[in-house]
Amino acid sequence: MDSDGMRDGPGTHANPVPRPAGPPRVPAAPPMPPGAPGAPGAQSGAPAVPGAPPGALVPPGAPPGAPPGAPGPAGGREGWGPAVPPLPPPPDGSDFLSWLRTPRPESPPGVWRFGHRPRPQEEPERVPARQLFAGALIALLSGWLLCSLLYHGYLGGFWLWPWYVLAPKSWTLGEGGMVAGVASYLYEGLVFVGIFAALGRVGRWGEIWRRFGPPAWLRAAPGQGPPPPPEEDPAAWPALRAAGAVDAAERLASDARAGLMRDVDHARIVRAWQGVQRGRHGLAAFAGAVLRDGAGACPHPSGDRDLPARQAPHDLVTGQVRLGTAADDSRNPYAYRGAGLGLGPELLGTSLLAVGPAGSGKTGAVVRPLAESLCLHALSGRAAVVVVGAAGAGLGPADAYDVVIRVGSPDSVHDLDLYGGTTDPDEAAAVLAEALVGDLADPHPSGDSRRSTTVLAQVLGPFRAVHGRFPGVPELRQLLDGAPEPLAVLRRGLQEAGHASLLRELDARERQMGHPGDVASVLADRLALLDRPAFASFFDTSGRTRPFALTALDHPVRVRVDLPARGHADASRLLARLVLAQFTASVTVREDRSLFACLVLDDASGAVTPEAVRGIQRLRSAGAGVVLTLRTLDDVPRPLRGPLLGAAGCRMALSGLTPWDGQDFAEVWGKEWTEATDVTDRQIIAETPAGKAVHMLRRVITGKAPTARAVTVRQVERERWSASELAHAVPPGHAVLSLTSVRGEHAPPLLVDLRH
């Protein structure tokens, strides 16, 4: 119960294991006090990171004033300096409790729910500012004039009759002394306040205060006020109390008040409690772990309780990461304008496709925050994540991941399983064929992909039957090239073992070698991209290493795959297709689909194939999703662009898009009914001499002929975002994003500022 079932699966680590698999036995690191440099919540629009360790936003050892994510001094862990001494802990966990108790109302898809204030669906009628201030001033002057007239008796004394009725007679005769005088002044003050209140309502003083008064965070800051009652206070763990685990609830509440609990701890323990409710774990084991370890109970196998750094605002109660702010633009629905944009597993479960040129912010503003969020979910036991990108792409520090695979680097501790961890030759052949020639395959099922799968199965099955393993890259290349000696060894082994069916497979392979249409030569040529000196120590199947296999995604593991940076562009695209094919094949057969699995593929150029699109379509029902980025849709074959945009439930077009790419987005987003206003100016013809004189004078003063304006409002159907608008009207640092949740809820294309 110590790990809530979140144990490493076989093949998830290579020797040596980079981190201890057991829970930490040291006291939790104290959180940073509010206001300290790099303290949680210092970023604009971010909730305070509750109980975050020192250096949560700025790397440990970075110079003062360094931006988030800046590297520390040389030495220590990769890209990070030695840890600085912890700062004194705060007197209590007030920051964490305030964060936990902040309202998170139900909102439309994509709205950042932390402290959100819902707005009406339709925009109310907005009075122009000049008219608003003019009306307010007139109301103020009218109130002042009316009160002055009443006070000086110019309007009679009718307004004093309630005073004469309610006050003692001695007071009305002036015999009450100071008490009567004060009471009379109070009555007059109440009358005058009522007059100003009524006229202020007519003059819309309240609307002026709402539109031009202090910011909303000054009028009501989230999380302030008295704590809710215990049965409604999330910090009191009412669900545990209702189930009878009162002692465990008291221990967790005590750690929260003492500042020993982080947001990751809270999310991890909530996940473990959900396992108890589903019957996966016993209540006694859960309560015992909590009583023993407190906020550190049910740890992640790595022992980590947070990431070494955070660059984006996260809210682990809702599972969202904030990517930006919906622009206050007329093209955005009124309910979204000015609201934060937050993405979570309920949206990523429909997959996300982001398209934008280099420098538009795909990696820094989209991929990095999402990868960071998924790593936090993995530490909470909620997700498994695989992040794939070029070496040095800025996908987070190595210490933020459990497994880092640096393909082509001799310093890489981990290897990648070429066959995805499967023991079925047919399944291995299908995945490997997709990686090798998937981009060459015909869109129809009878194309090269199926023939390539058959060819690979004809050699993989016999090899595994003889050697007890799949072939390595050099061995497989020799078999595909038809080298006589390896084929003879296989034949002798099959004959000795009596595998008649596999002998027929091998005979069929040898007969097809001389045919002009044999695809084995194409497979061998593609496989030669991996049979290079740079990859000599990778993809080993002899048992000398324990390569990572994507079948381990039924555990909350964090994986980063660094593709070769230079000189191996074709190999990088092949490996991207391989990881994508293995991911879609493995996550669809998991038993526990409550664990969200996500593949983040930075630069999916060359990875989108017909089979990949079909695989993406199956992920939504499997509790998984992918995040793909492209520089342009031209990197995808024309027949696949429409199916790819249709398979991704969330679509993002960043600034700098070409009109041709914009046209594809405009088509998939469709059209909507809107009001079109036509204004027509018609010249007025005067018929009388006086009218003509007035018109002449008006023309001399204004320089224009007198006209009458006719306004026509009609319903028309127009594109939500046209190709021209997507190409030329999206400002730098912005994107247009449409969203679909796994429950089928939709958000129309939104103009989003990714910089705030």
Side-chain angles (χ1 to χ4, degrees):
M1 187 62 225
D2 287 346
S3 64
D4 185 29
M6 301 182 296
R7 303 281 185 188
D8 289 337
T12 58
H13 291 283
N15 293 326
V17 179
R19 291 187 176 90
R25 297 300 179 185
V26 295
M32 297 184 67
Q43 187 170 349
S44 175
V49 181
L57 290 177
V58 179
R77 296 176 294 182
E78 174 185 328
W80 299 85
V84 296
L87 296 176
D92 54 28
S94 57
D95 287 346
F96 173 82
L97 296 176
S98 176
W99 168 83
L100 187 60
R101 292 165 177 164
T102 299
R104 295 166 174 88
E106 292 295 329
S107 304
V111 172
W112 174 253
R113 292 172 52 191
F114 180 84
H116 174 65
R117 291 181 173 273
R119 304 178 69 178
Q121 292 295 327
E122 299 294 334
E123 182 178 9
E125 184 179 358
R126 193 176 181 90
V127 180
R130 184 172 60 180
Q131 179 180 345
L132 193 64
F133 279 105
L137 180 60
I138 292 174
L140 177 63
L141 295 177
S142 299
W144 174 78
L145 178 61
L146 179 59
C147 291
S148 178
L149 294 176
L150 291 175
Y151 184 79
H152 291 92
Y154 292 107
L155 298 180
F158 67 93
W159 61 284
L160 295 174
W161 70 265
W163 167 255
Y164 290 110
V165 172
L166 298 176
K169 188 173 182 181
S170 60
W171 289 11
T172 61
L173 297 176
E175 299 175 356
M178 182 178 296
V179 175
V182 171
S184 64
Y185 280 118
L186 286 176
Y187 172 77
E188 294 175 356
L190 289 175
V191 172
F192 295 157
V193 168
I195 291 174
F196 276 101
L199 291 176
R201 187 177 183 85
V202 175
R204 297 190 177 95
W205 293 356
E207 185 172 351
I208 291 180
W209 174 258
R210 288 189 296 271
R211 285 171 57 177
F212 304 102
W217 64 271
L218 282 179
R219 297 197 298 267
Q224 301 297 324
E231 63 273 9
E232 300 178 4
D233 187 3
W237 299 86
L240 272 66
R241 297 177 186 273
V246 179
D247 293 340
E250 287 292 343
R251 173 64 190 273
L252 294 176
S254 174
D255 283 6
R257 290 190 299 268
L260 301 177
M261 183 174 287
R262 304 178 174 96
D263 55 350
V264 177
D265 298 330
H266 177 270
R268 188 185 65 250
I269 294 173
V270 168
R271 167 73 177 178
W273 172 247
Q274 292 172 351
V276 174
Q277 292 178 313
R278 290 193 295 265
R280 294 180 56 194
H281 311 295
L283 177 60
F286 171 81
V290 170
L291 290 175
R292 181 177 64 252
D293 299 323
C298 311
H300 186 265
S302 67
D304 292 344
R305 295 173 62 184
D306 206 341
L307 299 179
R310 298 190 188 186
Q311 286 191 350
H314 301 273
D315 182 23
L316 292 183
V317 172
T318 60
Q320 292 181 312
V321 54
R322 179 168 177 150
L323 295 186
T325 304
D328 190 3
D329 189 273
S330 59
R331 288 169 290 196
N332 285 347
Y334 182 72
Y336 281 91
R337 295 178 195 172
L341 177 74
L343 267 63
E346 76 283 353
L347 295 173
L348 297 180
T350 63
S351 298
L352 169 66
L353 173 65
V355 182
S360 59
K362 298 188 300 298
T363 301
V366 179
V367 173
R368 173 67 185 271
L370 291 178
E372 193 174 274
S373 174
L374 292 168
C375 286
L376 288 172
H377 281 290
L379 290 179
S380 305
R382 298 174 174 177
V385 56
V386 179
V387 182
V388 182
L395 301 178
D399 289 346
Y401 297 89
D402 302 311
V403 177
V404 178
I405 305 171
R406 299 181 177 92
V407 182
S409 173
D411 299 331
S412 180
V413 178
H414 296 84
D415 194 2
L416 180 65
D417 193 328
L418 189 65
Y419 302 97
T422 183
T423 58
D424 184 359
D426 293 330
E427 183 180 348
V431 172
L432 190 56
E434 169 68 12
L436 294 176
V437 295
D439 58 329
L440 304 178
D442 189 87
H444 298 286
S446 60
D448 293 337
S449 182
R450 174 167 293 186
R451 293 198 298 270
S452 301
T453 301
T454 302
V455 170
L456 287 170
Q458 289 172 343
V459 296
L460 292 181
F463 191 97
R464 180 171 179 80
V466 173
H467 298 282
R469 60 179 177 87
F470 287 126
V473 171
E475 296 169 320
L476 181 58
R477 184 182 178 187
Q478 289 180 345
L479 293 174
L480 294 174
D481 282 332
E485 184 176 352
L487 291 174
V489 171
L490 283 185
R491 180 173 295 279
R492 287 195 301 269
L494 294 175
Q495 290 174 347
E496 294 173 358
H499 293 294
S501 60
L502 293 178
L503 274 172
R504 289 194 297 270
E505 290 285 326
L506 193 60
D507 292 339
R509 174 86 295 274
E510 291 179 343
R511 287 195 304 268
Q512 295 169 4
M513 285 181 189
H515 291 184
D518 187 18
V519 298
S521 59
V522 179
L523 292 170
D525 291 342
R526 283 300 184 92
L527 195 63
L529 296 173
L530 301 181
D531 192 14
R532 307 292 298 168
F535 309 128
S537 59
F538 284 85
F539 318 116
D540 181 74
T541 60
S542 62
R544 292 190 300 267
T545 63
R546 296 178 60 193
F548 176 80
L550 267 68
T551 52
L553 294 183
D554 54 354
H555 298 273
V557 63
R558 302 166 292 167
V559 183
R560 193 184 81 190
V561 181
D562 291 347
L563 301 179
R566 296 184 179 89
H568 301 282
D570 292 335
S572 295
R573 287 191 286 268
L574 189 154
L575 292 172
R577 289 194 299 272
L578 176 66
V579 175
L580 179 57
Q582 291 181 356
F583 178 83
T584 55
S586 61
V587 298
T588 54
V589 296
R590 295 180 305 158
E591 295 183 1
D592 183 12
R593 297 188 176 183
S594 65
L595 184 73
F596 180 66
C598 189
L599 170 66
V600 181
L601 184 54
D602 190 26
D603 191 5
S605 302
V608 180
T609 65
E611 185 58 35
V613 173
R614 286 190 286 268
I616 293 173
Q617 293 171 341
R618 296 191 295 266
L619 294 179
R620 185 181 303 190
S621 61
V626 297
V627 176
L628 306 177
T629 68
L630 293 169
R631 292 187 179 92
T632 173
L633 288 175
D634 289 338
D635 294 334
V636 179
R638 167 54 67 180
L640 294 179
R641 295 180 192 176
L644 175 62
L645 289 170
C650 303
R651 314 171 188 98
M652 177 182 287
L654 289 94
S655 61
L657 212 66
T658 65
W660 298 273
D661 289 346
Q663 184 61 43
D664 292 322
F665 277 98
E667 290 179 0
V668 75
W669 281 331
K671 300 180 178 181
E672 64 177 347
W673 287 100
T674 185
E675 289 185 351
T677 303
D678 297 331
V679 180
T680 304
D681 288 334
R682 178 178 59 84
Q683 184 176 355
I684 302 176
I685 305 299
E687 298 180 355
T688 63
K692 292 179 179 180
V694 172
H695 285 188
M696 183 178 298
L697 179 62
R698 182 175 177 180
R699 178 175 295 181
V700 170
I701 296 174
T702 63
K704 299 179 180 179
T707 58
R709 174 168 295 182
V711 179
T712 303
V713 180
R714 54 193 176 90
Q715 293 285 331
V716 297
E717 192 177 21
R718 63 181 295 271
E719 292 177 324
R720 298 178 183 270
W721 279 85
S722 68
S724 178
E725 289 175 329
L726 289 171
H728 306 294
V730 180
H734 289 64
V736 180
L737 172 65
S738 65
L739 301 169
T740 304
S741 72
V742 292
R743 296 186 298 271
E745 300 171 318
H746 295 271
L750 306 170
L751 180 62
V752 179
D753 187 353
L754 300 175
R755 302 168 301 182
H756 301 91

